[in-house]
Amino acid sequence: MESLNNGSGFNEVELESFQRQIADRFQDLGSVSSDELLSLPWVRKLLDVFLSSEEEFRGILVNNKGRLMKPPLDRLIADFYERSVKSLDVCNAIRDGLDQIKQWQKLMEIVICALGHRNVNKNNTNKRILGEGQVRRARKALSELAVGLVDDKDSSQPLALRNRSFGRNNNSSNSQSKDQHRLGYFRSLSWYVSRSWSAAKQLQAIGSNLVSPRANEITATNGLAMLVFTMGNVLLFVMWALVAAIPCQDRGLQVHFYMSRQFPWAASILSLHDKIMEESRKKDRKNTSGFLMEIYQIDKCSSSLSELTGSVQFPISEEKEKELRQRVEEMGQVYEAVTEGLEPLEKKVRELFHRIVHSRTEGLDCLGRGHNSE
């Protein structure tokens, strides 16, 4: 039996280097201010951390193909890819959540156009007097926005009925057929998010039986068992953080991370977990449909505008109109932040989805069963 530092294949130095990089990346994610945590740019950075870590993980596996088919590593690798399949449903749910935010963005645009002195897409600074029609239109949009922002677990989300996924973006039937074959007809194809689907249960399924490898497994796999365990925890945490930030049905954050602080990366991941949980316990964020910072900002400025428009009397006083326009400017700033951050994040989630599909196919090829249907 080979030792971890015998100079052949994967060794202890590589394992420590990989784990230290994971630790540094998550420490960097946790070093931001509370205003940056869970923002659109932060979530995008989180996915970059996963993609970078996964690329290194995949490279190590490719360089150790001969070991992957030997027990117990073959089982551990297969378990990891089973978790990754489950994460595809989370990716689809997250994209639906991003679509929901787009709908809120449209409602914000209605409010800004109705109450503002300029169109959100044009720099027209000519003021106009606010009339009852504009205020009524803004109130209606604000009312719809308020309903959407609340995390109502009993309601049936329209999102749940959408029958599409990252795997079906190509309109070509030949390409579509080829993609389906490449996916290997996963047990969960993630073509849609059904009414009964639960983000909370899916996270529990991803984390099921994710336990630290025994000493004999680490030795038998020359340390690769610990590599797989580390990446499994990174996958679980990233999916958990996505569900925490982005609206999706039956959100639930009660996921247990079974990791000893003796692992180099554990402290930084657990610290970040605690920070996100601390945000979730804040009074003004408890009932929101997602802890994304921009959702909090939308909620805050829309609530302020709803209260203000509800007390408006006509003809509107100059003082009230000035206050109203100030609140509209604040909403305009949030609107711009959402506009700038939403599309890049959606592209990053799509990249994540396809990376997981590709890596699983490649990994199972190494195990000699990459194209078998499950």
Side-chain angles (χ1 to χ4, degrees):
M1 190 174 293
E2 298 171 321
S3 68
L4 296 186
N5 55 4
N6 66 355
S8 63
F10 188 64
N11 58 55
E12 191 171 1
V13 173
E14 287 180 285
L15 176 60
E16 290 180 355
S17 174
F18 179 79
Q19 292 189 107
R20 178 46 56 192
Q21 286 186 50
I22 298 292
D24 291 345
R25 287 166 181 160
F26 278 97
Q27 187 173 358
D28 185 45
L29 284 170
S31 64
V32 300
S33 67
S34 59
D35 290 338
E36 295 175 273
L37 184 67
L38 293 173
S39 64
L40 286 168
W42 185 92
V43 176
R44 197 164 68 247
K45 187 176 180 180
L46 172 74
L47 298 189
D48 279 331
V49 164
F50 177 85
L51 292 169
S52 299
S53 302
E54 193 279 335
E55 185 175 358
E56 292 166 10
F57 170 75
R58 187 162 46 119
I60 293 171
L61 293 186
V62 169
N63 291 335
N64 290 270
K65 285 183 179 180
R67 297 181 182 277
L68 303 188
M69 294 178 285
K70 300 176 182 178
L73 191 57
D74 58 344
R75 172 181 56 81
L76 297 174
I77 292 290
D79 287 348
F80 172 78
Y81 287 125
E82 183 65 24
R83 297 181 205 284
S84 71
V85 170
K86 294 181 173 75
S87 70
L88 297 179
D89 284 330
V90 176
C91 291
N92 278 330
I94 293 304
R95 190 171 81 163
D96 281 347
L98 295 177
D99 280 349
Q100 179 67 76
I101 297 174
K102 286 181 183 177
Q103 297 305 311
W104 299 340
Q105 187 183 21
K106 290 176 182 177
L107 292 171
M108 291 170 66
E109 184 173 353
I110 290 172
V111 174
I112 295 168
C113 288
L115 300 180
H117 61 265
R118 63 180 177 85
N119 187 287
V120 293
N121 296 317
K122 298 177 182 179
N123 293 319
N124 178 9
T125 57
N126 295 323
K127 287 191 175 182
R128 55 186 170 84
I129 299 173
L130 288 177
E132 291 187 49
Q134 291 101 317
V135 173
R136 276 199 305 270
R137 189 177 181 216
R139 282 175 183 166
K140 185 176 184 296
L142 288 167
S143 178
E144 291 180 33
L145 194 53
V147 171
L149 289 167
V150 175
D151 186 15
D152 185 359
K153 298 184 184 299
D154 296 326
S155 67
S156 296
Q157 297 280 348
L159 301 172
L161 300 177
R162 295 194 177 161
N163 185 17
R164 63 191 184 85
S165 111
F166 294 109
R168 288 188 171 179
N169 283 335
N170 197 318
N171 291 327
S172 167
S173 59
N174 291 332
S175 297
Q176 198 173 75
S177 176
K178 188 182 296 183
D179 286 343
Q180 288 178 352
H181 176 72
R182 188 164 168 239
L183 286 172
Y185 291 100
F186 293 165
R187 185 158 49 242
S188 170
L189 285 172
S190 299
W191 293 147
Y192 63 93
V193 179
S194 69
R195 283 184 184 274
S196 61
W197 188 84
S198 163
K201 291 179 180 177
Q202 196 74 2
L203 289 174
Q204 290 172 4
I206 293 171
S208 177
N209 297 318
L210 181 58
V211 294
S212 175
R214 295 186 293 271
N216 65 315
E217 292 177 323
I218 296 173
T219 304
T221 61
N222 209 39
L224 288 167
M226 183 56 68
L227 181 88
V228 177
F229 175 69
T230 301
M231 200 61 211
N233 276 283
V234 171
L235 175 69
L236 176 60
F237 181 84
V238 169
M239 292 300 141
W240 176 84
L242 283 174
V243 170
I246 310 296
C248 52
Q249 67 190 60
D250 193 25
R251 291 168 64 248
L253 304 184
Q254 302 309 312
V255 174
H256 296 289
F257 291 90
Y258 297 102
M259 58 182 75
S260 169
R261 288 185 178 271
Q262 69 180 5
F263 302 130
W265 40 268
S268 56
I269 288 181
L270 290 173
S271 173
L272 191 51
H273 171 269
D274 291 343
K275 287 183 178 181
I276 293 174
M277 289 304 297
E278 185 178 337
E279 288 297 317
S280 73
R281 287 189 285 266
K282 289 182 178 179
K283 185 178 179 181
D284 53 358
R285 303 189 72 170
K286 276 187 176 181
N287 296 320
T288 56
S289 56
F291 301 130
L292 190 74
M293 178 55 65
E294 285 78 4
I295 293 178
Y296 168 71
Q297 292 170 340
I298 292 171
D299 187 30
K300 187 176 179 182
C301 64
S302 63
S303 296
S304 175
L305 268 171
S306 292
E307 185 177 346
L308 198 56
T309 55
S311 63
V312 166
Q313 294 182 344
F314 295 94
I316 189 170
S317 67
E318 185 177 337
E319 182 181 353
K320 182 69 73 173
E321 183 173 357
K322 182 179 179 181
E323 185 180 0
L324 201 55
R325 295 200 187 280
Q326 182 181 344
R327 295 287 182 268
V328 172
E329 285 297 324
E330 292 172 0
M331 178 171 277
Q333 292 172 8
V334 177
Y335 176 91
E336 293 297 331
V338 173
T339 300
E340 290 174 11
L342 207 53
E343 186 176 348
L345 178 57
E346 186 173 14
K347 289 180 179 178
K348 192 64 68 174
V349 175
R350 185 181 297 115
E351 181 184 353
L352 172 66
F353 182 98
H354 287 296
R355 172 71 68 83
I356 290 171
V357 170
H358 175 74
S359 297
R360 180 185 186 273
T361 302
E362 185 180 70
L364 292 184
D365 279 343
C366 290
L367 293 175
R369 51 189 178 90
H371 297 295
N372 290 346
S373 61
E374 296 193 357

